Amino acid sequence: MSALFEIHDLTVDVPLESGFMGMFKMAQPKLNILAGISLHIGAGETLGIVGESGSGKTTLALAMLGLAATSGGDMHFDGAPLGNRASFIALRQKTAMMFQDPVASLSPRMSVGALLYEPFIIHGKRVANRRAKVTALLEQVGLPPEITSRFPHELSGGQARRVCVARALALNPKLVVADEPTAGLDVSVQGEVLNLMGALKAELGLSVLIISHNLAMLRHVTDRVAVLYLGRLVEVGATDAVFTNPRHPYTASLIAAEPQPDPRKRRHDLALKGEIPSLFLRPKGCEFHTRCPHAQPMCQTTAPELRTLGEGQVRCHFAETLKLNKRSEHYGMEN
Ligand code: SF4
C-alpha cells in the first residue's frame, strides 16, 4: 500500500509566556505537545489515533492540516512536501476535517443547502448546477432533498453527522480526518454513521484518519492503530494484532479500561494508575513509568525508543517479555 500522507519526526512546541525570563534574555520556555512523531497513512487505509485527553491526538490532526504550527520534522502528501502556506491551501482541497460536535461545527445561520455549497465557494470552484450538486451530496449520505432548507438546530444528531460527512465529501477529498465521529450519538446511530463512512470509503477509495477514545469502534473500522501518550507514539500496529496482542502496557491498560459485559472479567492488574502527567513535568526515563504496573528500576532513568517488533512498533524496554495478551473474553483473548 503506497503512503498518501507521510509524517517524519514531527514536533509541536507551544511557547509559554516569557515574563521576567524575557527581561533577562533567558531562553523562552516551551511546552512540548508532540515529540518526534513518524507515521504514515496508506492510500485507501483507515488509521486510528488513540490516547487519553492530553495525549496530543487533536494537535496531531491539526498540524497535519496546517492548522497548528509545527516546530520540527516534515510531512508529505501524495509525494509533495508540506510546509508553506500554498502547500496547505492545496492540501485542504484534497482533505476534509469532520469535527467532534456535528451541530456546533455547522454554522447555525446557514441552511443545509448553503452548508453543502460553502466548500465550493471557499475554494473558488464553479458548479454548473448548484441544486443538483447539493441533492447528489445528500443522496450520497442517505438524506432526502427536502432537508436542504433546514438549519442545523432542526436536525437530529445522526442527520447533522450525515450533513458533516456530505460536506466533507463535497470536493472529492483523498483523505478525511474525523475527530470522534460517533461522539454524542446513540449506539444505533453510531452504527449507521460508521456503516455509511465504511461504504463511502470503499466506494471512493478514501483514506481516513479517525481520532477517538472509543476503542471498540476503532477496533471495528480501522486497519491500523497508533497509540499516543504525552505526545509520543508508544505503539503502532495492525488493528487486530494490537487488540489481540498489545505490546505496550499503556495500550493494554486502555483496552482493559473498556466497558466489559461482565465487570468481574476486568483486568484490575492492568488498570491505569492516576492521571496522565502534566506536559510541564514530563517524567524522566520512560514517561509511562509513573503509571506502569510493570515498571522496573531502569524505566525511571532510561527512555525507551520506538522500535520495530514483529509487524508493528512499540516503545517499551520489556515488550518482548511482558505477558499483556492474557485478556478477557470481551476481546476474544485467552483468560
Ligand atoms: Fe512500563 Fe518500563 Fe515498558 Fe515504560 S519501559 S512501558 S515503564 S515496562
Side-chain angles (χ1 to χ4, degrees):
M1 186 186 291
S2 61
L4 177 71
F5 208 118
E6 290 177 275
I7 303 167
H8 180 246
D9 210 15
L10 185 76
T11 300
V12 172
D13 294 326
V14 175
L16 300 172
E17 284 295 318
S18 54
F20 72 88
M21 289 180 155
M23 285 165 54
F24 293 102
K25 295 203 165 78
M26 294 168 74
Q28 188 176 22
K30 291 176 183 163
L31 195 59
N32 182 216
I33 311 260
L34 290 180
I37 304 287
S38 294
L39 198 59
H40 74 273
I41 306 172
E45 180 183 46
T46 299
L47 175 70
I49 306 277
V50 66
E52 293 163 282
S53 297
S55 60
K57 305 185 297 293
T58 301
T59 303
L60 175 59
L62 294 175
M64 287 171 62
L65 299 179
L67 300 172
T70 60
S71 319
D74 53 76
M75 299 189 283
H76 288 76
F77 182 82
D78 230 357
L82 295 170
N84 59 25
R85 193 163 172 269
S87 67
F88 282 113
I89 289 172
L91 173 75
R92 281 180 216 143
Q93 296 191 25
K94 297 174 192 158
T95 57
M97 177 110 192
M98 285 169 52
F99 292 96
Q100 198 172 126
D101 182 341
V103 175
S105 68
L106 300 172
S107 169
R109 292 189 193 83
M110 294 172 80
S111 67
V112 169
L115 286 163
L116 293 186
Y117 195 68
E118 190 184 36
F120 299 99
I121 297 172
I122 290 173
H123 292 285
K125 304 258 181 200
R126 283 180 168 272
V127 175
N129 186 334
R130 174 174 168 162
R131 183 184 290 258
K133 185 70 196 174
V134 166
T135 303
L137 284 169
L138 288 172
E139 196 177 319
Q140 208 168 14
V141 298
L143 288 172
E146 301 83 71
I147 217 167
T148 306
S149 56
R150 290 205 201 150
F151 287 81
H153 70 275
E154 299 174 301
L155 304 174
S156 68
Q159 287 172 329
R161 180 52 83 195
R162 282 171 186 264
V163 169
C164 290
V165 175
R167 213 172 123 88
L169 297 176
L171 297 176
N172 296 322
K174 290 187 169 185
L175 172 68
V176 172
V177 178
D179 190 359
E180 297 287 3
T182 56
L185 298 177
D186 292 344
V187 174
S188 60
V189 183
Q190 285 184 18
E192 278 177 29
V193 169
L194 292 174
N195 288 342
L196 170 68
M197 286 177 66
L200 291 171
K201 176 184 172 265
E203 185 186 325
L204 306 173
L206 295 170
S207 300
V208 182
L209 176 69
I210 301 183
I211 299 161
S212 185
H213 289 93
N214 186 339
L215 267 72
M217 180 268 283
L218 288 177
R219 186 177 196 194
H220 286 103
V221 303
T222 59
D223 301 305
R224 283 189 306 135
V225 287
V227 184
L228 271 179
Y229 187 73
L230 281 181
R232 271 185 225 284
L233 287 172
V234 296
E235 183 159 5
V236 184
T239 302
D240 274 351
V242 170
F243 276 86
T244 54
N245 188 16
R247 309 307 289 262
H248 195 283
Y250 180 57
T251 314
S253 296
L254 290 177
I255 294 171
E258 282 288 281
Q260 299 273 347
D262 181 351
R264 290 169 303 177
K265 291 188 182 295
R266 271 205 166 185
R267 290 289 307 275
H268 294 287
D269 56 324
L270 294 175
L272 269 175
K273 292 189 286 184
E275 300 290 316
I276 190 167
S278 163
L279 287 168
F280 289 99
L281 294 169
R282 281 181 177 275
K284 294 215 172 356
C286 173
E287 292 177 336
F288 187 56
H289 86 258
T290 54
R291 305 171 81 193
C292 181
H294 304 279
Q296 305 291 318
M298 80 173 283
C299 305
Q300 298 178 24
T301 55
T302 311
E305 297 290 325
L306 186 71
R307 59 199 170 88
T308 300
L309 185 62
E311 302 287 308
Q313 292 172 292
V314 64
R315 190 188 295 275
C316 171
H317 295 306
F318 306 108
E320 287 88 347
T321 51
L322 293 176
K323 300 273 186 271
L324 302 173
N325 60 338
K326 295 178 75 181
R327 285 280 297 113
S328 71
E329 289 165 353
H330 183 55
Y331 282 99
M333 305 173 205
E334 300 172 22
N335 266 314

